[in-house]
Amino acid sequence: MVNKYAFLAAINCPVKGWYIFNQPEAKLSVADEYRIREGKLIGRKAQSLFPMGVEVKGENFSEALSITKDILISDSYPVVFEAAFRDDELATRADIIHKHGDKSLDLFEVKSKKFEEKDKFIKNRNSKRYIRDLAYTAMVIMNHGWNVRSTTLLLVSPEYRKGMYDSLLLKPLDLTDWVLETVKELNESKTRLINILISSNRPKFDMSWECKGCKFLQECFLEKWDTLFVIHRLNRKKYDELRERGIFEVEDIDDSTMLGFNEKQKRMIAAIKQNAPVINYSALKRGLSEIEYPAGYLDFETMATALPLYEGIAPYEKIPTQFSLHIRSHRGGTLRHIEYIFEEPSRDCSLELAHRLVEATKDCKSIIVYHASFEKNIIKRLSEKFAEHPELNQSLKGLLNRIIDLEVIVSENLYYPEFKGSFSVKKVLPALVPELGYENMPVSNGDDASYIFANIAMGYYDSEQEERMKINLLEYCKLDTLAMVKIQDKLEELTEECRKPEPFKTTYPKDFKVLNAVTLKNSCE
């Protein structure tokens, strides 16, 4: 049977839907597992809003269908949780239905998304996803012979705080008009999409804008790694223009199609076409010269959950739970490392973290971060949170003036083909410092790090596991700051190489005429 996830994915891209339906499910990450568990908990809390309800259980979907049928025939329960419905090959479970005597019902779906007022929600580019989600369930129910009178999303209230009544957790958002209109559209494409999904053959396809960011892109274009999507911040208009000319690889871009690209994008295109780095040495040297010593290399890890784990915290509010700081007194000097993680994860230790941070960075003239908006926002929120501590508040604000963004120094001055369109530290580090990486780390990404800490705060681990997880989190954060040190060292080496007496060779390909228009000079001047 076809599930909602595969069917809805096939609307935008039949190939993606086909892969989802036909491939074995990938192993869930720690973050995915937490979000699923949290979603179920929110669903349980939503059920408390309907005290006359009964939940459909069963060993499998067929049994759930049978139980649902019996409950719906009976008048004993006006509200049903997890009701199962089937329409041909389509299957669904409805979070909550409130049935009426005329074989009509109200449909409620519970989501862990933060509530927005209707006007703002509809304008959000992601709103179509939630409307289609509701519409799929409504379509299956309606094709099952029921009249859906209303469709409502129950979303997490921004005003909710830990300890409040469950009834205050969720706010309703009526989307009936949009959902019922979408049901018509889904019904029109239902048979075609089902046939595509259940086919043993992958559907034919061509690259489209929907391919951007798709996890199946590599499988669709095995021989074409450098698609247009590796161009940094390529917009839809430029993409459509190139596709109309039959271009979907960077290699196919020539002088006649370069108009509209900025200098950063031109640098990327040049590097990919010649399969070699393109470096603006003089500007790179200037960027690095802004770093003053002693210099600190700072990284935070945060936690943001739908259900707040601490008093006074809003849903999805980012809480900095740890930091790593490498310090050196001069360029190339010996490293000193300072780190902190909440000593009692069951409570908010932000005040302790803020004090430790201020103390650790007091002698740093420059504070180097990677993607500065993240760290700056954390520090700003800490200063606002502790406004009643004047000295701490001012010290935190003072950190902001010392921050230097290493990502900007990289992205504005060089590009390696191995970056694959990204300037994230996870792509830049292995290209510049191949001997250092995240591959064998017990914790290898920030998403998992966030939810591992949430698991600790929730008490999901025993004492031995908790201690091991804390060590893993500290090691991950430590690598993030060490990575900045090593990336800077490599950048410094590049500027040193440029000073060597041997004749300097341009890093631009000689046959790439348009690069004459790039206002960058690859020289040591």
Side-chain angles (χ1 to χ4, degrees), residues 161-212:
R161 298 294 184 272
K162 182 180 179 180
M164 288 184 175
Y165 291 115
D166 290 348
S167 58
L168 300 176
L169 171 63
L170 299 164
K171 295 181 70 173
L173 183 64
D174 189 307
L175 297 170
T176 304
D177 293 341
W178 286 272
V179 169
L180 294 183
E181 189 63 34
T182 305
V183 166
K184 298 176 184 177
E185 299 173 10
L186 298 187
N187 264 321
E188 290 173 359
S189 57
K190 183 183 76 169
T191 301
R192 176 180 64 85
L193 293 178
I194 290 174
N195 288 336
I196 288 172
L197 294 173
I198 65 176
S199 171
S200 58
N201 298 316
R202 186 179 70 174
K204 295 180 179 179
F205 63 93
D206 192 9
M207 184 178 290
S208 68
W209 182 252
E210 283 69 30
C211 296
K212 185 177 182 180

Side-chain angles (χ1 to χ4, degrees), residues 226 250-251 264-279 414-419 507-509 512 515:
D226 294 319
V250 174
E251 284 290 337
K264 184 183 295 184
Q265 292 170 330
K266 289 175 182 178
R267 189 185 308 121
M268 298 175 74
I269 293 167
I272 293 169
K273 285 179 71 71
Q274 68 177 350
N275 194 29
V278 171
I279 304 169
L414 71 154
Y415 187 80
Y416 280 53
E418 294 83 359
F419 290 178
T507 59
Y508 286 148
F512 198 52
L515 287 174

